[in-house]
Amino acid sequence: MTERSMGVRDVLRIRDYRSIFGGQVVSDIGDGVTFLLLLLVINDLTGSTTALALMAICEALPQFTVGLFAGVYVDRWNRRTVMLAADLLRAVVVIGFAVAAVEGWVPLLYVLAFVQSSISTFFRPARGAMLPRIVPREGLPAANSLAQGSMVIGGVIGTGIAGLLYGTFGVAYLGFAIDAATFLVSMVFVSRIPSIVGRIQREAHDAPQSNVLRSLLEGLAIFRHSRVLSGVLLAAAVSMLGLGAVNVLFVPLIVDDLKVAATWMAGIELAQTSAMILAAGVVPMLLRRFAPTTIVTGALLGVGLCIGMMSGVSAVWQVIVVLFIVGWMVTPFQATVQTIVQTTATDATRGRVVSLLQASMSTASVVSMAVGGVLADLIGIRAVYAGAAVVVLGAAVVAMLMFRGVPRRPLVGATVPVEAEAAAP
């Protein structure tokens, strides 16, 4: 098989990839179920928007606290074992959600949400770091595209199941039971992967006994020594400084500013979701034609321009068109960033790189949401959207500057690494 011929069908022929992907599919559906159920339960028990915001904070906080150190352990432990343990623990936590919802224990729901999110900060880097041990380099774009498609579709299916169950029966424990079952099914899929695949390929200069803080600092040094990785980190973090505010103010823009009925939200979300799913199929083609750094920069430019257009929309059909365009850029951006990390970082450091990238993006997003909410009251929602567009366009400029001088060759079909200097001290 040539490098240029490895697409979605090809990676699905890899047995171990089918196992890791099968586990992700069922887990993504379960995550969608629990995400909506938690909001519905909190809303029914408290009737407070503040309570809903607190739930969002509990779920986001581990990303830039626990998640900052999770990658250190992902680079020390067998990643297959980490994934199995995370699935089992999350199944137990979700059962706890069911008990807390039935009893009306709101504080316990917050605690369990924090715990579940903390466990997930170990699972995701472990899965992302193990993928290059399963899929050849030329198959990573297709594998990451499938992962993005699964996350989007699974979320839609999961929220649909949650809404149907809660709307029909008025209880949450059925949905939580489904989510717990998906984690156990994921365990079965992951257990089919040979244990040796989860072992980290140590480098000769590694110091396995170094303390956690030193290992974390070594992870930060990886970004400092790589133009590509540091460029991705800075560009992604800066973009989230704009996108966080956009996400938190989206509903007020549609419902309060445009005076559109909330029933339109499903159609609006469908526009972006369908585009993201369709875009997943073209990512391997894009990475055969363009350098990954070019795709990252171009996607940020496109998203920034679209946010700028959102600040001036006057009708719901315009929102639908803009979000459909955005969806075609989000999936290539996310899949390409993952592929860059997987092909640039070594196996012994990949967990820390993934965790630090996620932590930086989550931190920027939370800061943006907080600032955006305050500014919206002071200068208006549309002004915040205009400012967010400038920030995301600034992220594209950061990417162009950071990637300047980096060899611009397509990832698939290349005979050298994305960045020749990546392995340099």
Side-chain angles (χ1 to χ4, degrees):
M1 180 182 298
T2 65
E3 288 186 345
R4 290 185 176 276
S5 66
M6 196 160 198
V8 169
R9 292 182 180 179
D10 300 310
V11 297
L12 286 175
R13 293 191 182 102
I14 302 173
R15 178 186 179 276
D16 289 343
Y17 178 74
R18 290 199 304 272
S19 295
I20 198 171
F21 180 65
Q24 178 181 345
V25 169
V26 295
S27 182
D28 284 338
I29 293 174
D31 288 345
V33 172
T34 292
F35 172 77
L36 181 58
L37 280 180
L38 283 176
L39 297 180
L40 292 172
V41 169
I42 291 294
N43 186 63
D44 280 354
L45 291 176
T46 68
S48 167
T49 55
T50 301
L52 292 173
L54 182 58
M55 175 58 72
I57 292 172
C58 288
E59 292 179 331
L61 192 59
Q63 301 300 319
F64 53 90
T65 53
V66 179
L68 197 60
F69 298 93
V72 173
Y73 294 100
V74 168
D75 284 338
R76 294 184 176 193
W77 299 336
N78 187 299
R79 289 162 181 160
R80 173 181 176 271
T81 303
V82 170
M83 294 172 67
L84 290 171
D87 274 338
L88 179 59
L89 290 173
R90 288 187 294 180
V92 173
V93 171
V94 171
I95 294 300
F97 281 141
V99 175
V102 170
E103 298 296 333
W105 295 335
V106 174
L108 181 58
L109 287 173
Y110 292 138
V111 173
L112 292 175
F114 180 88
V115 172
Q116 185 193 38
S117 183
S118 297
I119 298 169
S120 296
T121 63
F122 287 83
F123 183 89
R124 286 190 290 268
R127 181 176 61 193
M130 195 166 69
L131 193 61
R133 300 284 305 277
I134 295 173
V135 178
R137 173 191 176 90
E138 60 271 19
L140 288 174
N144 287 319
S145 297
L146 280 171
Q148 292 300 315
S150 168
M151 185 172 63
V152 174
I153 296 173
V156 171
I157 294 174
T159 53
I161 292 172
L164 179 63
L165 289 176
Y166 201 76
T168 303
F169 302 104
V171 293
Y173 63 83
L174 292 175
F176 289 132
I178 290 175
D179 191 17
T182 64
F183 285 126
L184 297 179
V185 172
S186 176
M187 281 188 65
V188 173
F189 277 110
V190 175
S191 67
R192 298 174 58 194
I193 301 172
S195 180
I196 192 172
V197 175
R199 296 177 186 172
I200 294 87
Q201 295 177 339
R202 303 291 180 188
E203 298 175 358
H205 57 77
D206 277 353
Q209 301 304 317
S210 61
N211 61 44
V212 173
L213 182 59
R214 179 178 174 184
S215 294
L216 179 62
L217 294 176
E218 290 170 353
L220 291 171
I222 295 167
F223 286 96
R224 189 174 70 250
H225 295 149
S226 169
R227 284 278 300 280
V228 167
L229 289 179
S230 58
V232 166
L233 178 71
L234 288 173
V238 172
S239 70
M240 290 312 299
L241 284 175
L243 293 175
V246 167
N247 293 333
V248 79
L249 295 176
F250 182 69
V251 172
L253 174 69
I254 301 301
V255 177
D256 299 332
D257 194 292
L258 288 179
K259 307 299 181 184
V260 174
T263 52
W264 274 94
M265 292 301 298
I268 293 171
E269 291 292 339
L270 179 62
Q272 182 170 341
T273 298
S274 59
M276 291 176 67
I277 294 170
L278 292 171
V282 305
V283 171
M285 180 190 70
L286 290 174
L287 283 168
R288 285 196 294 268
R289 293 174 176 268
F290 304 102
T293 52
T294 301
I295 296 173
V296 169
T297 304
L300 289 174
L301 281 171
V303 171
L305 291 173
C306 285
I307 294 174
M309 288 189 286
M310 283 289 290
S311 68
V313 293
S314 58
V316 67
W317 69 265
Q318 296 171 355
V319 176
I320 292 174
V321 171
V322 172
L323 288 185
F324 185 77
I325 297 172
V326 168
W328 281 95
M329 301 173 192
V330 171
T331 296
F333 174 79
Q334 294 175 337
T336 301
V337 166
Q338 291 179 13
T339 304
I340 288 175
V341 169
Q342 291 162 348
T343 55
T344 305
T346 65
D347 187 61
T349 62
R350 201 174 291 125
R352 278 168 285 178
V353 171
V354 173
S355 291
L356 288 168
L357 179 62
Q358 290 180 347
S360 65
M361 293 176 67
S362 297
T363 302
S365 179
V366 171
V367 171
S368 178
M369 287 188 286
V371 174
V374 174
L375 288 179
D377 290 332
L378 297 175
I379 62 176
I381 295 174
R382 292 178 182 270
V384 173
Y385 263 71
V390 173
V391 173
V392 177
L393 290 174
V397 173
V398 169
M400 284 189 284
L401 294 175
M402 291 298 298
F403 296 150
R404 187 172 55 186
V406 174
R408 295 184 178 275
R409 28 175 92 85
L411 179 67
V412 180
T415 57
V416 297
V418 173
E419 178 187 36
E421 69 186 89

